[in-house]
Amino acid sequence: ANTTLAPGDYIVLSWSKIEGPTGELGLYINSSFSNPASIRDYMQFNAGNNIRANVAVTAGVWDDASAFVTVDDIAGCATVIANANDPASSNSTTWCTAQSNTLGSTNSACEMISSSCPDDYANGNLPNSMPALTGPQMTDTDFETDGAIISNQIIGPGVTVDYDSGTYIELTSGFETLGQVTFHAFIDGCNGFM
């Protein structure tokens, strides 16, 4: 409660509740938890629309109240929630399950992992619908779904990204690739042959 960090310092938190089925984690400057002026960073995992999600969205430190990071619980796989764009991000697609989190640099081990095939990446009304893809994508990733993919991501230099949809892929205004990107778009869906 009384930890002070000097400029450039950082702290690593180990907290068993992050491994739970659903939850959220917010960084505040005081205990005014419902005040958007008090929140500095935010992340929610395994389900959207947690208690402080709308506060984080209003403050601009999270992209959408329904957006969340999928935590991989499969034995032997990645078990750490990491931010692919240290030191901070306001976008759910730059948080992911990873082997480690390297302060100040992109986490090469960081990857989007889902325990099942999402219904879509389009903010659909289906039970397992994921948010449309938005914001910077700075790590190699495979987005796979049996439904639609809608994206205005900016894919960073040297990154390999696959969009694998069962129905259609829509690249909306703002979608961009930056320098030596490998980008694949497949109409194949989950468990296909591509």
Side-chain angles (χ1 to χ4, degrees), residues 51-190:
I51 295 170
R52 304 296 179 209
N54 286 319
V55 176
V57 171
T58 301
V61 297
W62 197 245
D63 50 336
D64 187 288
S66 64
F68 61 91
V69 180
T70 301
V71 178
D72 178 26
D73 293 323
I74 299 170
C77 291
T79 56
V80 176
I81 295 175
N83 191 319
N85 295 315
D86 294 321
S89 173
S90 60
N91 191 298
S92 60
T93 62
T94 56
W95 286 86
C96 52
T97 306
Q99 295 294 336
S100 63
N101 192 16
T102 306
L103 189 72
S105 64
T106 298
N107 296 293
S108 59
C110 207
E111 57 182 321
M112 297 297 290
I113 300 174
S114 178
S115 59
S116 62
C117 181
D119 291 322
D120 61 38
Y121 286 97
N123 287 321
N125 293 321
L126 300 169
N128 194 23
S129 179
M130 301 295 283
L133 303 176
T134 186
Q137 180 62 47
M138 304 303 287
T139 58
D140 295 349
T141 308
D142 180 16
F143 294 100
E144 190 174 31
T145 175
D146 283 332
I149 295 176
I150 298 175
S151 173
N152 69 355
Q153 284 189 311
I154 298 172
I155 301 175
V159 174
T160 298
V161 174
D162 294 345
Y163 289 180
D164 189 350
S165 164
T167 56
Y168 70 91
I169 297 167
E170 181 180 347
L171 305 179
T172 59
S173 177
F175 178 86
E176 186 176 0
T177 60
L178 305 174
Q180 299 182 344
V181 167
T182 302
F183 175 71
H184 299 116
F186 304 114
I187 302 299
D188 184 51
C190 297

